[in-house]
Amino acid sequence: MTMRNKQELIQQVVNLLNTMIKVEELPSAPPPPSNDQMEMLTIKECAQQISGLSEHTVRQLVIQNKLPHIRTGQGKRGKILVPKSALLEYLRSAA
């Protein structure tokens, strides 16, 4: 499965979830990306994108609900995906 296929699949899942549940808007939520696709990163990819950021730190931010995320799969074995734009926005606001 190519990265493009994965991103399309994730976007379809997000769209489906948005139609099934009502999402509350946070007052400080960043504006949605201008393009149709939202790039999602795993914990490892988040740490690789930003030098000096560890996987442990990203996990802690997810646990503390400081980063929006979705979990794919069941239980602790599921992957955590974080929108790249949300990660960058959080880091800008924390600086």
Side-chain angles (χ1 to χ4, degrees), residues 6-60:
K6 289 178 185 178
Q7 289 175 343
E8 289 173 359
L9 182 60
I10 290 170
Q11 187 61 42
Q12 290 173 358
V13 170
V14 169
N15 290 339
L16 180 62
L17 289 174
N18 284 335
T19 60
M20 294 174 64
I21 59 174
K22 186 175 182 177
V23 178
E24 292 183 21
E25 298 258 346
L26 299 175
S28 62
S34 59
N35 58 6
D36 289 21
Q37 300 219 1
M38 180 184 307
E39 186 174 356
M40 303 293 279
L41 303 173
T42 63
I43 298 289
K44 188 174 189 173
E45 291 170 338
C46 288
Q48 290 172 347
Q49 289 283 319
I50 311 295
S51 66
L53 186 66
S54 69
E55 291 180 37
H56 176 74
T57 302
V58 177
R59 287 183 200 284
Q60 290 303 310

Side-chain angles (χ1 to χ4, degrees), residues 64-82:
Q64 296 168 8
N65 288 323
K66 292 183 179 179
L67 280 178
H69 63 281
I70 60 171
R71 183 180 288 274
T72 61
Q74 296 282 327
K76 292 186 178 191
R77 297 270 185 204
K79 286 201 179 283
I80 296 171
L81 299 175
V82 177

